[in-house]
Amino acid sequence: MAGTARHDHEMVQRAKQQLRTCKDPVETLRLSCLSRGSNGIKGLGRVFRIMDDDHNRKLDFAEFKKGLRDYGLSLEPGEVQNMFGHFDKDGSGSIDFDEFLLNLRPPMSKARKDVIMQAFNKLDKTGDNVITIADLKGVYNCKHHPKYKSGEWTEDQVFGEFLKSFDENMDGTVTHDEFFNYYAGVSASIDTDVYFCLMMRNAWKL
């Protein structure tokens, strides 16, 4: 489930408009992601995960610069340096990957964070802080999926496809952070807490 197409379209237009006058390096990067729709931040996360060759969950300046370029952002060298400097708080020459994505998420109210957490906890049946295909069985009904009904996909294939919506590193599981990154993008496309919380409750039958 994603934000509705209309909300997504409005958010993209708003982000593009704000980008023209934005001077703050972090806000520029955030708006650049949101101008690609509610999956924008998740998409950037995926690019950086692919780049993290040694899996140390840190990015040096060269990786950061290449990641932004691979994502399709054309920024001035000075802008990239400013962005990196903002995230490299201890001046070590590398930035913590998870902290970077956390800072990039658009601000969310406590009400929105709470309802996202409720949805995650409902899906995480085993309580091990990751959502797997096994967790989804009995929580997410795939019987109405067109490809399941036609016999084209098995139940596990439907669940696997469903997890891909959230799964940034394509390991077949969804972490708390991946789930939040996805909904941070959806949240940015919806103005009121009431509507966002209603949408989440309806989607996940909370």
Side-chain angles (χ1 to χ4, degrees), residues 3-20 27-41 71 106 184-191:
T4 64
R6 182 171 60 82
H7 284 109
D8 222 40
H9 177 73
E10 286 170 6
M11 179 187 69
V12 166
Q13 298 311 312
R14 197 163 57 224
K16 284 178 177 171
Q17 209 171 352
Q18 289 172 336
L19 262 174
R20 294 189 193 118
E27 190 61 19
T28 297
L29 186 51
R30 183 182 293 135
L31 289 170
S32 299
C33 289
L34 295 178
S35 70
R36 292 169 175 232
S38 54
N39 276 334
I41 289 174
Y71 186 64
V186 175
S187 170
S189 73
I190 294 171
D191 288 330

Side-chain angles (χ1 to χ4, degrees), residues 132-200:
T132 62
I133 284 177
D135 282 322
L136 291 179
K137 291 181 178 178
V139 180
Y140 175 70
N141 186 356
C142 75
K143 300 285 190 287
H144 303 297
H145 194 286
K147 292 200 174 179
Y148 181 81
K149 279 161 78 170
S150 70
E152 202 178 326
W153 283 0
T154 64
E155 193 180 45
D156 278 6
Q157 282 174 301
V158 175
F159 289 141
E161 198 59 31
F162 174 80
L163 286 180
K164 274 185 198 171
S165 306
F166 310 96
D167 187 9
E168 288 166 13
N169 61 352
M170 293 305 189
D171 64 352
T173 66
V174 176
T175 65
H176 173 268
D177 276 347
E178 286 174 327
F179 198 75
F180 261 78
N181 285 340
Y182 176 84
Y183 276 113
V186 175
S187 170
S189 73
I190 294 171
D191 288 330
T192 70
D193 283 2
V194 171
Y195 184 81
F196 180 81
C197 293
L198 179 69
M199 180 197 75
M200 289 293 289

